């Protein structure tokens, strides 16, 4: 029904920057919230940042001042700009979208995940 494709992960030194992208495609009527989560080895998946359709953003305390989430509704795409990266940011980052699917109503979708590794 809907696919989320992520890109932009990789290896970076502490203090560096990365920008992750996530594009949604499929039987989309509209998209409510788009968000980024992350999961480190042995840890629970946690919310990083969210961008509601009505505007504004929500950012986790652990990344405030360093990460910025944005979205391009014309492209059904959400981004997260990650600056001043720290080794504790190392995780698999997942895109999430709450989508109104044509003929189905609201559905929740996840991307495949993209690895971010920050070296000290």
């Amino acid at each position: 029904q809907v696919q989320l494709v992520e890109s932009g992960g990789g290896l970076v030194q502490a203090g560096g920057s990365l920008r992750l992208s996530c594009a949604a495609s499929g039987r989309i009527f509209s998209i409510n919230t788009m968000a980024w989560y992350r999961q480190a080895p042995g840890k629970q998946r946690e919310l990083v940042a969210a961008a509601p359709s009505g505007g504004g953003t929500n950012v986790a305390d652990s990344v405030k001042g360093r990460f910025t989430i944005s979205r391009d509704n014309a492209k059904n795409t959400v981004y997260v700009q990650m600056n001043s990266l720290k080794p504790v940011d190392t995780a698999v980052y997942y895109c999430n979208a709450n989508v109104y699917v044509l003929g189905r109503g609201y559905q929740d979708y996840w991307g495949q995940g993209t690895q971010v590794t920050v070296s000290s």
Side-chain angles (χ1 to χ4, degrees):
Q1 300 169 2
V2 173
Q3 299 79 43
L4 304 180
V5 179
E6 302 163 343
S7 62
L11 174 65
V12 65
Q13 293 187 24
S17 298
L18 287 172
R19 188 176 78 151
L20 306 183
S21 301
C22 171
S25 62
R27 294 179 58 82
I28 299 169
F29 181 81
S30 63
I31 302 177
N32 188 13
T33 299
M34 302 188 79
W36 289 96
Y37 290 74
R38 68 185 182 186
Q39 187 167 24
K43 306 294 184 181
Q44 290 187 348
R45 187 172 299 187
E46 64 177 353
L47 176 67
V48 176
S53 62
T57 60
N58 300 297
V59 182
D61 288 342
S62 60
V63 302
K64 281 183 179 177
R66 300 188 298 119
F67 291 13
T68 303
I69 188 170
S70 61
R71 59 191 287 178
D72 184 339
N73 291 328
K75 297 180 179 179
N76 288 329
T77 298
V78 64
Y79 308 90
V80 58
Q81 177 68 45
M82 307 187 296
N83 298 327
S84 301
L85 283 162
K86 305 174 181 179
V88 295
D89 296 319
T90 295
V92 178
Y93 284 71
Y94 296 92
C95 180
N96 173 268
N98 186 248
V99 181
Y100 192 92
V101 180
L102 291 171
R104 299 293 301 276
Y106 282 105
Q107 304 287 328
D108 204 57
Y109 292 93
W110 292 90
Q112 79 284 357
T114 184
Q115 177 71 47
V116 171
T117 302
V118 184
S119 63
S120 61

